C-alpha cells in the first residue's frame, strides 16, 4: 500500500512510501517574482532525476503539481493511497492558525481523490510525535545537548535553553530515518532547506502507516 504524507507549511515537504519504504519526496519554498510570492517545488523518486517547478502561485497549485508527479507511481500501484497531513497548530495566534489551516486544506485537496473515502487523515504534531518520537523527547534532546527546556532553569543554572521547535527538529533527524528505509537517500538529493520538512512528513507517514498495521 502506498502512503503519502505532507508537512503543509508555506515552506514544506511531502513523502511517498510503499509498504513503509520511502520511494519519493518533495519540498517547496516561497520566493518573490515581480513583487508577488510564488513557490518552487522540487520532487525526486528513488529512481530518476530531481524535477523542479517554479512560479507556482499557491497551495492549490502546489497540491496539483504534487498530484501530477505522483500520478505515474499511483497508476503503477493501483491508483490509491493513504493520505495524511500534519494539522495546523493554532497556538496563541488564532488568526495565524486559521490561515495555516486553510493553506493546508488547499494543498491536500488535489490529492484527496486518491485517498480512501476521498479525505486525508489529519494529525496534530503532538499526536504523531507521541508515536514516533522517544518518551520525554524534548527533555532528552536538551539533556543530550547540555541544555534545559525551562527558561527559569536556564537562568538559574546558566545553561542554554532548547526550544520545543529545535528539540523536535533534532529528534526527527535522529529517530525518523531508521523507521523509514530509503528516506535519507531521497533527502540527500533535495535542496538542503527542505530536509526538516521531509523528515516531518516522513514521521506523519510512518504514523499513518502504523494506524493500519
Amino acid at each position: 500500500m502506498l502512503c503519502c504524507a505532507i508537512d503543509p507549511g508555506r515552506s514544506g515537504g511531502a513523502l511517498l512510501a510503499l509498504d513503509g519504504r520511502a520511494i519519493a519526496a518533495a519540498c517547496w519554498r516561497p520566493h518573490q517574482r515581480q513583487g508577488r510570492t510564488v513557490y518552487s517545488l522540487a520532487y525526486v523518486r528513488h529512481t530518476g532525476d530531481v524535477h523542479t517547478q517554479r512560479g507556482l502561485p499557491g497551495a492549490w497549485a502546489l497540491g496539483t503539481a504534487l498530484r501530477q508527479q505522483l500520478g505515474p507511481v499511483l497508476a503503477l500501484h493501483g491508483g490509491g493511497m493513504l493520505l495524511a497531513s500534519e494539522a495546523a497548530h493554532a497556538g496563541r495566534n488564532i488568526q495565524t492558525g486559521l490561515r495555516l489551516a486553510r493553506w493546508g486544506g488547499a494543498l491536500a485537496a488535489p490529492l484527496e481523490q486518491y485517498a480512501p473515502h476521498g479525505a486525508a487523515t489529519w494529525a496534530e504534531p503532538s499526536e504523531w510525535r507521541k508515536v514516533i518520537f522517544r518518551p520525554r523527547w524534548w527533555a532528552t534532546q536538551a539533556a543530550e545537548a547540555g541544555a534545559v527546556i525551562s527558561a527559569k532553569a536556564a537562568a538559574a543554572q546558566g545553561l542554554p535553553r532548547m526550544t520545543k521547535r529545535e528539540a523536535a527538529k533534532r529528534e526527527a533527524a535522529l529517530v525518523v530515518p531508521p523507521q523509514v528505509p530509503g528516506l535519507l537517500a531521497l533527502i540527500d538529493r533535495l535542496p538542503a532547506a527542505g530536509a526538516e520538512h521531509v523528515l516531518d512528513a516522513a514521521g506523519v507517514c510512518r504514523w499513518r502507516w502504523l494506524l493500519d498495521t
Side-chain angles (χ1 to χ4, degrees):
M1 172 64 76
L2 289 167
C3 181
C4 179
I6 305 168
D7 174 20
R10 295 185 185 273
S11 292
L15 184 86
L16 182 69
L18 175 64
D19 297 333
R21 174 175 287 274
I23 62 170
C27 62
W28 54 89
R29 63 175 182 82
H31 60 93
Q32 293 295 308
R33 175 182 287 183
Q34 297 179 349
R36 64 189 182 97
T37 301
V38 294
Y39 296 83
S40 294
L41 170 73
Y43 172 88
V44 64
R45 293 177 59 181
H46 66 296
T47 58
D49 298 327
V50 177
H51 297 276
T52 302
Q53 289 180 257
R54 296 182 175 86
L56 297 167
W60 178 270
L62 280 167
T64 301
L66 280 173
R67 183 179 64 189
Q68 291 170 347
Q69 294 287 356
L70 293 176
V73 184
L74 293 168
L76 184 64
H77 295 282
M81 66 181 183
L82 302 173
L83 177 64
S85 180
E86 185 175 85
H89 180 66
R92 295 181 180 180
N93 191 325
I94 300 299
Q95 291 302 317
T96 297
L98 290 173
R99 285 195 295 270
L100 289 174
R102 289 193 293 266
W103 170 271
L107 180 57
L111 298 168
E112 289 189 309
Q113 72 182 82
Y114 299 117
H117 313 297
T121 303
W122 296 83
E124 295 289 338
S126 59
E127 186 177 6
W128 72 262
R129 289 170 181 167
K130 184 177 180 180
V131 175
I132 303 302
F133 286 6
R134 295 174 295 176
R136 301 186 70 253
W137 55 270
W138 184 3
T140 300
Q141 278 291 345
E144 290 172 352
V148 292
I149 65 175
S150 162
K152 184 177 180 179
Q157 300 176 37
L159 294 173
R161 179 178 182 266
M162 182 176 287
T163 65
K164 192 172 187 178
R165 176 176 173 78
E166 177 63 22
K169 287 183 183 180
R170 288 171 172 258
E171 185 73 3
L174 177 68
V175 306
V176 173
Q179 298 183 57
V180 185
L183 174 61
L184 290 180
L186 293 172
I187 287 177
D188 286 346
R189 297 166 64 193
L190 289 171
E196 66 179 271
H197 305 296
V198 177
L199 282 165
D200 279 355
V204 175
C205 190
R206 177 66 176 167
W207 167 85
R208 181 63 184 89
W209 178 259
L210 290 173
L211 288 181
D212 279 14
T213 57

